Amino acid sequence: MKTEDEKAFFNYTRLPRGLYDEVLRRVEGRIEKKDTWYRKSLPPGLKLSITLRHLACGDNYPSLSYNFRVAPNTISLIINEVCDAIKAEFAAEVIQCPTTTEEWTAIAEQFEKRWQFPHCCGALDGKHVAVTCPWNTGSEYRNYKGFFSIVLMALVDADYKFLWIDVGSDGSSNDASIYNGSELKEGLESPNNIFNLPEEKSLPGDDVPVPYYIVGDNAFGINKSLMNPFLIRNMEHHDRIFNYRLSRARRVVENAFGILAHKFRTEISSHPQQHDGLGGAELNVIPGAWRNDKVLLDVYHERARNTGTQEGRQIRRYLGHYFTSKAGSVPWQDKMIL
């Protein structure tokens, strides 16, 4: 198929021919074995093809053994070996968490330009990846959806690129506990700013400094470095607008999981969707003047709760008012919450 039918080859391995050759070239040194006097080693290309086919469609080992004429027990070793080699060769290159102010600023500018959510440095979410129940673990890996899984948690930029991942937590763990124990939270909330996040800066058309943050769903507690939606009970207009604007930024991580699942359908399942946003109109506004038309007492009366900090809730409330102002609104937002 590789030489005679490139379309069929792509469908079979989920990689175009050129990328397949590059991956093989870079990992073959890690997966190649020496021939012995009683047995010839399996070619690296065969090992890679077996692994890609398993990832692409989830074929079980007996099925793969018929296709490739390799014993199922050998295939079980090959897949782990090749996956480890791909991880070792490509992980640091393709998944790079920003470490400089310039990199974080560029990501925030992407979110503001494409999804109209300023100061956002990434969208965070977790996905359950189905697995066979590990031996002697009881219900440890059984999730609330009723199947056994591990959790893939990821931070994604505005173009669906993975910036940071944490994979392997048992399925019974919730997203908040995984995030709370991660180096990502430690870096984002470090008093020494070890991630070099940009300093607080005023929003477009405003003059009050607002910190940079990531966005997530209500599984995560809100604070100054992580924004989540308002609860749906007793929402006011600016709360609903904020939730709509945040959902546009946050769903890029769900779409990234969907793209991954479409490429390799072994375990993850999601449905990407995208709203074709219109560009904002150019407005002549005086920085901060929008606050003169609003009563912002609720910003300062926000109280800390068990699920977040007072400072985080105040920032979220302020953003809600900003998004309904002349300075921060977009033309289509009101009709999207009807």
Side-chain angles (χ1 to χ4, degrees):
M1 284 191 294
K2 182 180 176 183
T3 57
E4 298 178 1
D5 193 338
E6 291 193 13
K7 184 176 180 181
F9 178 79
F10 175 80
N11 184 58
Y12 194 79
T13 64
R14 299 296 194 271
L15 293 183
R17 178 178 174 179
L19 182 55
Y20 176 91
D21 290 337
E22 179 186 351
V23 172
L24 177 59
R25 176 180 57 81
R26 294 181 59 173
V27 303
E28 62 180 347
R30 299 177 183 269
I31 62 178
E32 190 174 19
K33 305 293 183 182
K34 293 183 178 179
D35 295 337
T36 66
W37 64 271
Y38 65 93
R39 180 184 299 171
K40 289 188 176 181
S41 62
L42 297 177
L46 177 62
K47 292 183 176 181
L48 179 60
S49 297
I50 291 173
T51 302
L52 290 176
R53 185 57 184 169
H54 175 68
L55 296 176
C57 64
D59 277 0
N60 57 36
Y61 298 160
S63 176
L64 290 170
S65 70
Y66 290 121
N67 289 336
F68 292 95
R69 302 187 68 182
V70 177
N73 60 324
T74 303
I75 289 177
S76 68
L77 300 176
I78 288 173
I79 291 175
N80 288 333
E81 177 189 14
V82 175
C83 286
D84 287 342
I86 292 174
K87 175 184 174 182
E89 181 67 29
F90 290 96
E93 175 182 330
V94 301
I95 302 179
Q96 297 180 339
C97 187
T99 57
T100 67
T101 300
E102 292 75 17
E103 290 174 326
W104 289 115
T105 301
I107 293 171
E109 290 174 352
Q110 282 183 320
F111 271 100
E112 182 175 355
K113 179 180 179 180
R114 189 166 185 179
W115 304 112
Q116 294 76 50
F117 206 89
H119 288 204
C120 179
C121 293
L124 181 71
D125 201 6
K127 275 292 182 182
H128 287 275
V129 181
V131 297
T132 302
C133 180
W135 177 256
N136 203 28
T137 58
S139 61
E140 181 179 354
Y141 285 84
R142 187 175 179 86
N143 62 40
Y144 69 96
K145 298 181 180 180
F147 61 90
F148 295 98
S149 67
I150 58 174
V151 179
L152 168 63
M153 182 165 289
L155 183 72
V156 175
D157 71 8
D159 290 325
Y160 313 112
K161 180 182 177 181
F162 289 90
L163 302 173
W164 171 89
I165 64 170
D166 180 284
V167 61
S169 297
D170 58 82
S172 62
S173 302
N174 59 58
D175 288 351
S177 65
I178 298 172
Y179 173 68
N180 289 338
S182 70
E183 71 276 9
L184 179 65
K185 175 183 171 68
E186 181 181 355
L188 291 175
E189 300 182 13
S190 168
N192 299 324
N193 192 21
I194 60 176
F195 272 7
N196 296 312
L197 288 174
E199 295 183 357
E200 295 185 0
K201 180 182 177 182
S202 59
L203 301 170
D206 197 15
D207 57 0
V208 172
V210 173
Y212 286 76
Y213 42 75
I214 63 175
V215 296
D217 58 23
N218 282 321
F220 305 98
I222 187 172
N223 55 58
K224 65 178 293 186
S225 63
L226 193 154
M227 292 289 108
N228 68 6
F230 286 99
L231 297 178
I232 61 175
R233 293 176 296 178
N234 303 319
M235 285 197 303
E236 299 181 16
H237 178 259
H238 53 79
D239 300 337
R240 297 173 65 193
I241 290 295
F242 174 87
N243 280 4
Y244 165 69
R245 296 282 291 271
L246 182 135
S247 71
R248 283 174 50 78
R250 186 180 63 81
R251 69 185 177 189
V252 296
V253 63
E254 298 176 357
N255 291 353
F257 285 129
I259 294 170
L260 178 63
H262 183 72
K263 175 72 73 171
F264 297 108
R265 302 176 183 177
T266 304
E267 298 154 336
I268 304 175
S269 178
S270 184
H271 301 281
Q273 51 181 309
Q274 180 176 339
H275 172 74
D276 295 329
L278 305 176
E282 294 185 0
L283 303 174
N284 295 319
V285 296
I286 300 174
W290 61 273
R291 295 194 301 275
N292 297 332
D293 300 326
K294 296 179 179 291
V295 178
L296 300 183
L297 294 179
D298 54 351
V299 173
Y300 308 104
H301 290 171
E302 279 285 1
R303 297 181 179 179
R305 305 175 188 174
N306 292 333
T307 56
T309 66
Q310 180 178 9
E311 184 179 19
R313 293 178 182 279
Q314 289 177 340
I315 294 170
R316 180 175 64 181
R317 184 73 64 180
Y318 187 84
L319 289 171
H321 287 296
Y322 173 77
F323 288 150
T324 55
S325 71
K326 185 178 181 181
S329 63
V330 292
W332 66 88
Q333 64 186 24
D334 287 328
K335 69 178 181 180
M336 299 303 296
I337 65 170
L338 295 178

